[in-house]
């Protein structure tokens, strides 16, 4: 007798594990899963590498910031001394140096915040 035709709405029979198509589908699924895992591992490695670079840059930036703040404090003290001694040209020059230092310190603090945000975002992405 000919094989029975399934009625509309009937579910298809489960795949035959001995069927070559089912084995090929399973093999493709395993391959796709392995590729996804390699991609995930690679992404985590890239994020970890970027986090390491952020930590190194952050440490260097912190050292620069400490030095800049020290220079600012010294320039402030020198400006006060110059003003007291009525060395107004020197005081004005020091005032200009202070403005440059203040700008540089602000830029460094902004970069530090951005690095902290980027590090946190990378960590969050690694945990997904």
């Amino acid at each position: 007798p000919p094989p029975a035709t399934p009625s509309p709405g009937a579910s298809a029979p489960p795949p035959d594990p001995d069927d070559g198509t089912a084995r090929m589908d399973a093999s493709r699924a395993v391959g796709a899963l392995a590729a996804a895992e390699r991609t995930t591992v690679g992404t985590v490695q890239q994020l970890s590498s970027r986090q390491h670079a952020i930590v190194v840059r952050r440490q260097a930036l912190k050292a620069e910031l400490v030095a800049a703040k020290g220079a600012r404090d010294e320039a402030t003290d020198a400006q006060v001394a110059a003003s007291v001694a009525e060395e107004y040209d020197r005081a004005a020059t020091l005032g200009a140096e202070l403005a440059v230092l203040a700008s540089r310190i602000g830029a460094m603090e902004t970069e530090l915040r951005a690095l902290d945000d980027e590090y946190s975002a990378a960590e969050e992405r690694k945990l997904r």
Side-chain angles (χ1 to χ4, degrees):
T5 307
S7 62
S11 62
D16 180 359
D18 295 327
D19 182 12
T21 305
R23 281 193 302 262
M24 287 174 41
D25 288 346
S27 176
R28 272 183 273 191
V30 168
L33 184 59
E37 185 176 338
R38 284 190 303 273
T39 299
T40 301
V41 168
T43 299
V44 168
Q45 288 173 338
Q46 287 174 345
L47 290 169
S48 294
S49 176
R50 179 61 190 141
Q51 284 181 305
H52 176 72
I54 289 169
V55 168
V56 169
R57 174 62 184 141
R58 193 175 191 291
Q59 289 171 339
L61 195 56
K62 280 286 213 178
E64 287 178 44
L65 185 59
V66 167
K69 285 182 176 181
R72 179 192 59 195
D73 293 346
E74 289 174 14
T76 300
D77 292 345
Q79 184 184 32
V80 168
S83 293
V84 168
E86 297 182 359
E87 296 173 358
Y88 300 113
D89 289 341
R90 175 88 174 120
T93 301
L94 289 166
E97 288 177 22
L98 282 169
V100 169
L101 285 168
S103 175
R104 188 167 155 227
I105 288 169
M108 283 189 264
E109 289 173 338
T110 298
E111 185 179 350
L112 279 170
R113 284 190 297 278
L115 288 171
D116 288 344
D117 291 346
E118 185 180 352
Y119 186 94
S120 295
E123 188 65 25
E124 185 178 310
R125 191 164 168 219
K126 279 174 32 181
L127 297 175
R128 279 193 235 152

